[in-house]
Amino acid sequence: MAATKNTSSESGSGRRIPWLPVSIILFILAAALFGEKGVLRMLQSRRQKVDLEQQVAEKQKTISDLKTEISKLKTDRIYIETLARKELGMVGDGEIVYQFPGEAPPSSGTAGNSGTLP
C-alpha cells in the first residue's frame, strides 16, 4: 500500500500548475482588455468617433444652409418678399387683404398696412 501512496503523490506533483506564470498572464490579459488603453476602451472610442463625425456632418450641413439663406437675404428680392409675406403678414402696394370669419389674423398684425417691400 505504501507503494500506491508514493505513486499517487508522484503523479499529483507532475500535474502541478505553475501559479506565478498563470497569474502574470491573467494580469496582462486583464490589462489588455480593461486597461486605460485596452481593447474595450478602443472600441468605445471608435463608436464615439463615428458619432462625433456624424454630428460634424450635420453641423456642416446646417452651416451650408445658413450661408445659402444669408446669400438669398442679401441678393434675392423675391425671397425677402416671400419671407415678409409669410412671417410678417405684409402686403404689397395695391393689394387687398380679405379676412374671413374663423381665420386667425396674421401674427404681427401688419396685414392691413400697405408698405413697400424692399
Side-chain angles (χ1 to χ4, degrees), residues 57-70:
E58 290 172 2
K59 298 295 181 188
Q60 287 176 341
K61 171 78 168 102
T62 302
I63 289 170
S64 174
D65 292 345
L66 289 173
K67 284 182 179 180
T68 302
E69 186 169 2
I70 288 170

Side-chain angles (χ1 to χ4, degrees), residues 3-76:
T4 315
K5 286 184 183 179
N6 287 339
T7 309
S8 64
S9 65
E10 288 174 5
S11 65
S13 65
R15 293 183 184 177
R16 199 166 178 206
I17 299 173
W19 289 107
L20 183 61
V22 170
S23 61
I24 291 173
I25 291 172
L26 289 175
F27 178 75
I28 292 172
L29 285 174
L33 284 175
F34 303 109
E36 190 173 316
K37 295 183 180 182
V39 174
L40 297 178
R41 177 77 76 162
M42 183 181 65
L43 293 174
Q44 181 184 18
S45 297
R46 284 185 182 173
R47 276 188 246 120
Q48 185 178 13
K49 179 185 174 190
V50 169
D51 291 342
L52 290 174
E53 286 174 345
Q54 183 180 7
Q55 288 177 9
V56 166
E58 290 172 2
K59 298 295 181 188
Q60 287 176 341
K61 171 78 168 102
T62 302
I63 289 170
S64 174
D65 292 345
L66 289 173
K67 284 182 179 180
T68 302
E69 186 169 2
I70 288 170
S71 174
K72 285 182 181 180
L73 288 171
K74 287 181 178 179
T75 59
D76 192 355

Side-chain angles (χ1 to χ4, degrees), residues 89 91 96-107 109-113:
V91 294
I96 300 173
V97 177
Y98 294 97
Q99 292 183 344
F100 298 99
E103 288 187 12
S107 61
T110 58
N113 297 344

